[in-house]
Amino acid sequence: MNYNSFKLFFSVSLFFSLVACSENESPTNEPTTDTELEVANVQSYSQDFGYNGDIVEITGSNFVESSSDVEVLFDGVASEIISAGKTSIQVKLPLVENGIPKLEINMKDRKVVSEVANAYEGNIGVLAKVPGEWALTKLEGALPNATIWTSQLVSPERLYYGLVSGSNGNTRTTWRSLDGGLTFKRWAYQGFSNVFQATSTDEGWAESLRLLKIPAGGSVNEKEEILFTTTDKSNSNIAAISVSDDLKTGMLITGSKTVYKTTDGENFDVIYDPDYEYLTIRTGFRLDDDHFWAGGGNTTYGLKPSLLFTHDGGATWNDLELTFDEDGKTTVGKIQFVDSKNGFMLTYYDIYSPFRLRKTTDGGFTWDTVETLLPNTNFVFLDTKTGWSFSGNTIYKTTDGGLTWNEDLKAESRVDRIDIKDNVVVAKIENGILRYFL
């Protein structure tokens, strides 16, 4: 006698097993219980997060061997099964909306149990990547709600943000993510300027009214190693930092343009001191070990843009007081160079004054004014022509060096910061991270 049968997949989320039923030829026709199913154990992943399109291997024991009998879902979106075997499944991560989607693994005739414990509650993080387009990875609550004052991308996936919080803006910390923004951890407690520089090993220097050496993994119980404390001289706060990846050779510039240098990461000597009293350096930009710029305003006669830079690792310094045609007080707010010669600089007085973009082609000795105003105090450039800025939830793009700015994207929420690294533009927005792969 022939009996009709049908195939039934048994699915399970990573931490919960669902009881499934199956028809069989038993005389009583009673359903098979969950305990009668063979157990497939999920033990590890080759990586806990990646970009959509990346291949991830899921390893364990007693898996089914046919890829047609396996289904791996990310927030209900099926991934492509590359291969399947008794101890391994290879899947291609799908493009999904949430950065940490719920992972479900389905196998025919198996009860799937996960033993994976990671930062994502056993799930696999997925970063959105669409070359030539903005792609959003939604993240809720990963970074504390605060104003982003400073930022650094060590890579498109290793993000560092200096935050200002508290009712009076008196709480300053740096938070970092090593997984593309899926999770953040406090990396350093900071002082007045939120200045820091992280290295590829997650170590770094940070200002906290003195110079701190931050270990890999971030500060612990606010007991970071104090490398250096500036003098009691007026306006001696640390305003700009440049340090090599091994934390041995480095320089720091104070608000009064005094420059200190170390070649062993421990002992600091003054290498430049113009003895300014009415000067406030407020920003810096490090291109490499040799090229370092810092800018601010000289208050001796009103407020005029002031610039200090070296092209030879601190052997010589160029100290400039700049004059532009516009009337009124103005200071340097941001500096970025795309190479040793070509750079951009923001000058303004406060958030209610015009945001003017200046550019140089000789390393900072002379500056031309770009007539079109910037939409924001934050900008990034890929090269001498292509750059991005933002206002509200709108990201703007220029392809002519800042002469014109056109809407590039209307984001889902407020844009807080924009950076660029390794030909990837990264915009931190209120509910996630936007990336543009060039």
Side-chain angles (χ1 to χ4, degrees), residues 92-399:
K92 181 182 290 187
L93 297 182
L95 179 62
V96 291
E97 187 174 71
N98 294 312
I100 306 177
K102 181 182 178 182
L103 177 63
E104 297 181 17
I105 301 174
N106 306 324
M107 295 184 194
K108 180 184 179 182
D109 297 332
R110 291 291 189 274
K111 173 185 176 181
V112 182
V113 176
S114 176
E115 301 172 2
V116 177
N118 60 15
Y120 317 127
E121 298 183 346
N123 297 298
I124 298 175
V126 182
L127 305 177
K129 177 181 179 180
V130 182
E133 298 180 18
W134 286 101
L136 172 63
T137 301
K138 279 192 173 182
L139 304 162
E140 297 291 347
L143 189 66
N145 184 22
T147 299
I148 299 178
W149 195 256
T150 53
S151 60
Q152 180 192 352
L153 301 188
V154 173
S155 74
E157 300 78 42
R158 299 168 75 92
L159 321 175
Y160 293 75
Y161 293 114
L163 305 184
V164 177
S165 58
S167 58
N168 296 318
N170 54 3
T171 302
R172 295 176 183 251
T173 55
T174 296
W175 291 67
R176 68 97 170 97
S177 174
L178 303 182
D179 55 10
L182 298 176
T183 60
F184 278 89
K185 176 186 176 182
R186 188 182 58 236
W187 186 72
Y189 296 90
Q190 293 204 258
F192 177 75
S193 62
N194 257 142
V195 173
F196 67 89
Q197 184 186 324
T199 70
S200 60
T201 59
D202 194 37
E203 300 172 287
W205 284 1
E207 171 274 339
S208 182
L209 303 178
R210 53 198 173 181
L211 184 64
L212 306 178
K213 182 180 180 180
I214 307 301
S219 60
V220 180
N221 298 325
E222 300 184 61
K223 294 182 179 180
E224 310 89 342
E225 180 182 353
I226 300 174
L227 293 179
F228 178 76
T229 300
T230 58
T231 66
D232 293 330
K233 179 180 176 180
S234 176
N235 201 16
S236 63
N237 61 287
I238 299 171
I241 288 173
S242 171
V243 63
S244 59
D245 211 46
D246 62 4
L247 298 182
K248 296 295 185 182
T249 302
M251 294 176 284
L252 61 91
I253 302 176
T254 71
S256 58
K257 274 190 178 178
T258 304
V259 183
Y260 297 84
K261 183 174 182 177
T262 180
T263 56
D264 61 7
E266 296 179 359
N267 300 291
F268 290 79
D269 297 311
V270 175
I271 61 172
Y272 183 78
D273 186 2
D275 198 27
Y276 285 118
E277 183 177 359
Y278 302 104
L279 184 74
T280 301
I281 293 294
R282 60 183 301 166
T283 188
F285 181 82
R286 177 187 187 273
L287 183 66
D288 51 40
D289 289 347
D290 290 328
H291 298 87
F292 185 30
W293 295 263
N298 192 330
T299 61
T300 306
Y301 304 103
L303 185 63
K304 297 176 62 176
S306 183
L307 197 63
L308 178 67
F309 59 91
T310 180
H311 292 167
D312 53 18
T316 59
W317 290 89
N318 302 284
D319 191 341
L320 306 180
E321 301 300 315
L322 306 175
T323 300
F324 298 105
D325 294 337
E326 306 90 24
D327 295 328
K329 300 177 180 179
T330 186
T331 185
V332 178
K334 179 174 180 176
I335 304 169
Q336 187 207 349
F337 275 75
V338 297
D339 56 44
S340 61
K341 297 293 185 182
N342 296 282
F344 296 87
M345 177 175 68
L346 160 73
T347 62
Y348 73 115
Y349 177 62
D350 58 27
I351 60 173
Y352 305 105
S353 64
F355 303 145
R356 296 197 180 276
L357 183 66
R358 325 284 182 172
K359 62 180 179 180
T360 181
T361 58
D362 59 10
F365 290 98
T366 61
W367 295 84
D368 295 322
T369 300
V370 180
E371 293 303 321
T372 306
L373 297 178
L374 276 167
N376 192 279
T377 59
N378 187 212
F379 65 86
V380 293
F381 276 86
L382 170 68
D383 50 36
T384 59
K385 297 294 185 182
T386 308
W388 291 264
S389 188
F390 62 87
S391 179
N393 68 334
T394 303
I395 296 176
Y396 295 93
K397 182 179 181 180
T398 181
T399 56

Side-chain angles (χ1 to χ4, degrees), residues 20-52:
C21 298
S22 172
E23 288 190 11
N24 54 41
E25 297 182 10
S26 63
T28 60
N29 201 32
E30 293 180 356
T32 304
T33 65
D34 208 27
T35 57
E36 293 175 322
L37 296 174
E38 293 187 45
V39 174
N41 290 299
V42 176
Q43 298 168 343
S44 65
Y45 312 135
S46 59
Q47 58 193 66
D48 286 336
F49 77 94
Y51 288 99
N52 57 280

